[in-house]
Amino acid sequence: MSSLPQDFIFRFSFPCREYQEVPKRLSAEFLKEEYRFPYWNHRELTSKFSEAEPNSQKKELKTREQSPFVFDFRMAWHIKGLFLTVVLSGKKAPLFCDRSKLELSDSLQVCLDMRDVRDVHRGSRFCHKLLFLPNASSSKVISPTAYWLPIHRAKAHPNPVDVSRFLLASNVTSNGYQLSVYIPGETLTGYDPKEHSRLGFHFSLLDNELGHFSLQHSNLLPVDEDPSLWSVLELV
C-alpha cells in the first residue's frame, strides 16, 4: 500500500484576486475576507491543521471550547507586487519567534516560482523561498520580520532579494496574531503578471503550540525544495 498522501496525485490551482492600489503602509489585517483562499472553510482548516499534529497535541486542540481556533490565509496581487495576510487565533501559549532559531520559530513560509515550471524538481533562478516572523522583537514594540532563504539543491538562485523593501505589519494578541506583507515585484526575479499570470506557489505555517500546516503536501515530502510539488497560483 502506498505511503504517499492522497493529494499527491492532484495538482491544485488557486485563484488570486487583483488588488487595485499599493498603499504606503499596511495594517495588520490588510486583506479582508474577500481575498481569503477559497479552498477550505474554517472547520475544515482546523481539522487539517489538527491532523498534522503529534497525537499528544490533538487531544488538547479538541478540548478548546472557550477559545475557538481560527486560521485564515488571504492573498492578492497587483501589477507591482503581491499581498499576503494571515489571521491566527485560538492560541493559549505565547508566540515563539527567535531570529537565531528561524527553523523553530512561529512563522509563515512562502515559496514562489515566477514561471510555474511543473516538471522541474530543483529550484531555478525564478524560484523564491521567504520566511516571515510575526514578531522578532523582545521589546513591547511589535516588529514583524522577513527573510530570504536559499532553496536546498537549487540549480540557481534569484537575484539578491532586498527584504528591507517589503512592507510588513502585525498585531500580536493574547490568543494569536494578524500579519500582513507586501512584496514588491521588483524584488522577485521574473515577476511579470502580464506575461506570466500562473505562478508556482506553496505556503506553510509553523506554530509551536498548534503545529505545522501546509497548503497541499505535508512536510513529509521535500515541498520546500521541489517546485514540482507546489500548487498553481492564478492571477485573475
Side-chain angles (χ1 to χ4, degrees):
M1 187 172 182
S2 174
S3 59
L4 291 174
Q6 292 182 353
D7 58 8
F8 182 77
I9 62 176
F10 296 99
R11 287 183 175 178
F12 292 102
S13 177
F14 300 100
C16 180
R17 295 181 57 183
E18 184 178 9
Y19 199 84
Q20 296 303 314
E21 59 181 343
V22 177
K24 294 182 178 180
R25 59 182 302 176
L26 299 182
S27 60
E29 193 173 342
F30 180 74
L31 294 178
K32 304 307 178 185
E33 291 187 358
E34 59 264 32
Y35 293 95
R36 176 188 295 162
F37 252 41
Y39 48 102
W40 291 291
N41 60 37
H42 284 315
R43 178 176 297 178
E44 290 169 331
L45 264 176
T46 304
S47 174
K48 185 173 177 63
F49 207 132
S50 302
E51 289 172 358
E53 304 315 307
N55 291 332
S56 60
Q57 295 183 354
K58 287 184 180 180
K59 183 176 180 181
E60 180 183 353
L61 286 170
K62 292 178 180 179
T63 58
R64 294 183 181 184
E65 298 180 355
Q66 297 181 349
S67 182
F69 166 58
V70 173
F71 169 53
D72 218 3
F73 182 83
R74 306 164 189 172
M75 192 166 182
W77 72 280
H78 186 273
I79 193 67
K80 293 185 177 180
L82 299 170
F83 296 91
L84 309 169
T85 291
V86 171
V87 178
L88 180 64
S89 65
K91 287 174 56 60
K92 292 185 176 180
L95 281 177
F96 175 76
C97 295
D98 190 330
R99 297 172 187 263
S100 65
K101 300 178 180 178
L102 294 180
E103 71 282 359
L104 299 177
S105 294
D106 296 337
S107 60
L108 171 70
Q109 179 177 286
V110 174
C111 296
L112 292 161
D113 179 3
M114 298 298 110
R115 295 295 182 267
D116 184 35
V117 180
R118 306 300 307 169
D119 56 355
V120 174
H121 297 280
R122 296 172 64 184
S124 72
R125 69 187 187 95
F126 298 112
C127 295
H128 305 73
K129 182 163 72 169
L130 305 169
L131 185 77
F132 304 99
L133 302 185
N135 186 22
S137 174
S138 58
S139 66
K140 293 183 179 180
V141 179
I142 298 174
S143 178
T145 309
Y147 298 88
W148 172 84
L149 301 177
I151 297 176
H152 181 56
R153 298 179 60 250
K155 295 185 295 183
H157 293 298
N159 298 330
V161 179
D162 185 2
V163 296
S164 67
R165 296 180 58 190
F166 292 10
L167 297 180
L168 296 99
S170 67
N171 178 46
V172 179
T173 65
S174 60
N175 70 342
Y177 64 87
Q178 302 91 42
L179 169 68
S180 288
V181 181
Y182 169 66
I183 307 172
E186 293 179 347
T187 66
L188 300 173
T189 300
Y191 183 73
D192 187 356
K194 289 185 178 180
E195 295 294 329
H196 301 278
S197 60
R198 289 168 60 93
L199 310 181
F201 178 70
H202 179 77
F203 81 82
S204 58
L205 188 140
L206 175 65
D207 186 281
N208 281 280
E209 178 188 5
L210 301 174
H212 182 275
F213 174 84
S214 187
L215 172 61
Q216 181 178 350
H217 304 300
S218 73
N219 57 354
L220 297 176
L221 298 175
V223 68
D224 62 341
E225 64 182 60
D226 186 345
S228 71
L229 297 175
W230 300 351
S231 302
V232 177
L233 189 70
E234 296 195 38
L235 309 183
V236 297

